Amino acid sequence: MTIAKPPQGNTFSGMGMTSQRTRDRMLARLREQGIKDEIVLSAIASIPRHIFVDEALSIRAYEDVALPIGFGQTISQPYIVARMSEIIRHGKPLQKVLEIGTGCGYQTAVLSKIAKEVYSVERIRPLVMKARGHLRELKCTNVKLGHSDGSMGLTEFAPYEAIIVTAAASHIPQDLLDQLAVGGRLVIPVGIDEQVLTLVERKSETDYKHSKLEPVKFVPLLGGIS
Ligand code: SAH
């Protein structure tokens, strides 16, 4: 007689605090916080956030908090990832998106589900390697990562239909405005102590509309690479 073995948990399904139930609760909370775009919500539902943080922190991976990822940086709060994704999607499928500040690659993985092509740059090399590992594990094959100073954008693949900056800037870099396609949307936290999530819509070659959306808290956008 053979005795059936209990099912083995795998990294993605997880057990306990990383279980499907915990992840469903996170989604319910995002809805309560006002996230309405179902495509964004299902993208978030499909990405296991716990694999992006150290094992010791995975118990907190589905709380609505930013968590440390090393090098003085953080993984963004699920609410802000959802909110920024919803803002750039604006109810429409996206073709080419640029992200500045890959970090551990969580927002990048969510973007890979809502856009056809995703480019993301990060200034800290070990984080690029870390993000690359996570995105490979999740088979996000439509993403290209780069190690560079994102305040200069990424001219090689410009223009972008959407640009998402996940670090706070004192001002909006001109290169990013130039690399935004006409009709495109740029979302960026602006400010040093008091930061405001700002949306820039490029209406024509020369006409940019700026809107201040809500207060946020991000790590700073820094110059150079390390
Ligand atoms: N998108 C990430 C957020 C990471 S925190 C997530 O989903 O969790 C912001 C990241 O921006 C940090 O990793 C930081 O190193 C990076 N960053 C800061 N200034 C940058 C710059 N000029 N170019 C590229 N990356 C930058």
Side-chain angles (χ1 to χ4, degrees), residues 196-222:
V196 181
L197 194 63
T198 304
L199 168 67
V200 182
E201 294 163 89
R202 188 169 190 177
K203 300 286 185 189
S204 71
E205 276 304 315
T206 51
D207 181 19
Y208 292 85
K209 181 183 172 203
H210 292 241
S211 321
K212 290 184 178 172
L213 304 179
E214 59 195 71
V216 283
K217 187 120 194 65
F218 278 87
V219 295
L221 186 76
L222 301 174

Side-chain angles (χ1 to χ4, degrees), residues 1-212:
M1 187 176 99
T2 51
I3 298 172
K5 284 192 188 140
Q8 299 291 304
N10 66 39
T11 343
F12 296 168
S13 63
M15 302 291 275
M17 290 308 285
T18 57
S19 71
Q20 193 57 47
R21 255 190 35 232
T22 314
R23 288 159 63 176
D24 290 346
R25 273 203 296 275
M26 176 174 88
L27 279 204
R29 206 166 46 229
L30 290 174
R31 286 181 201 278
E32 280 163 25
Q33 288 168 305
I35 304 298
K36 292 192 183 67
D37 187 330
E38 290 298 329
I39 304 286
V40 168
L41 288 164
S42 58
I44 298 233
S46 72
I47 304 296
R49 191 168 183 255
H50 65 276
I51 71 155
F52 291 85
V53 296
D54 283 349
E55 216 167 330
L57 287 172
S58 63
I59 194 164
R60 303 194 58 200
Y62 297 95
E63 290 176 21
D64 195 30
V65 287
L67 295 167
I69 53 168
F71 311 94
Q73 306 303 323
T74 53
I75 178 171
S76 296
Q77 220 189 322
Y79 167 74
I80 201 71
V81 170
R83 181 78 180 110
M84 289 171 95
S85 304
E86 186 172 75
I87 291 164
I88 56 165
R89 221 183 77 81
H90 198 48
K92 288 188 227 118
L94 291 165
Q95 291 295 314
K96 208 195 301 174
V97 175
L98 172 65
E99 178 191 29
I100 309 300
T102 320
C104 61
Y106 177 61
Q107 169 84 70
T108 326
V110 172
L111 290 174
S112 81
K113 304 290 173 199
I114 64 167
K116 205 159 173 207
E117 288 168 63
V118 180
Y119 298 88
S120 183
V121 296
E122 168 57 55
R123 62 180 292 278
I124 301 176
R125 184 184 289 279
L127 286 179
V128 180
M129 310 309 281
K130 206 174 202 176
R132 191 160 282 148
H134 293 145
L135 295 164
R136 191 168 294 153
E137 189 177 351
L138 295 178
K139 302 188 172 58
C140 298
T141 50
N142 58 340
V143 173
K144 283 198 172 62
L145 300 184
H147 177 221
S148 64
D149 177 355
S151 22
M152 293 180 290
L154 186 65
T155 42
E156 212 178 330
F157 303 101
Y160 303 93
E161 199 183 351
I163 301 179
I164 177 167
V165 184
T166 66
S170 55
H171 64 282
I172 303 177
Q174 185 60 44
D175 285 324
L176 299 185
L177 294 170
D178 293 343
Q179 291 171 31
L180 189 64
V182 171
R185 296 162 79 81
L186 160 68
V187 66
I188 177 169
V190 181
I192 314 265
D193 297 325
E194 309 263 289
Q195 304 170 5
V196 181
L197 194 63
T198 304
L199 168 67
V200 182
E201 294 163 89
R202 188 169 190 177
K203 300 286 185 189
S204 71
E205 276 304 315
T206 51
D207 181 19
Y208 292 85
K209 181 183 172 203
H210 292 241
S211 321
K212 290 184 178 172

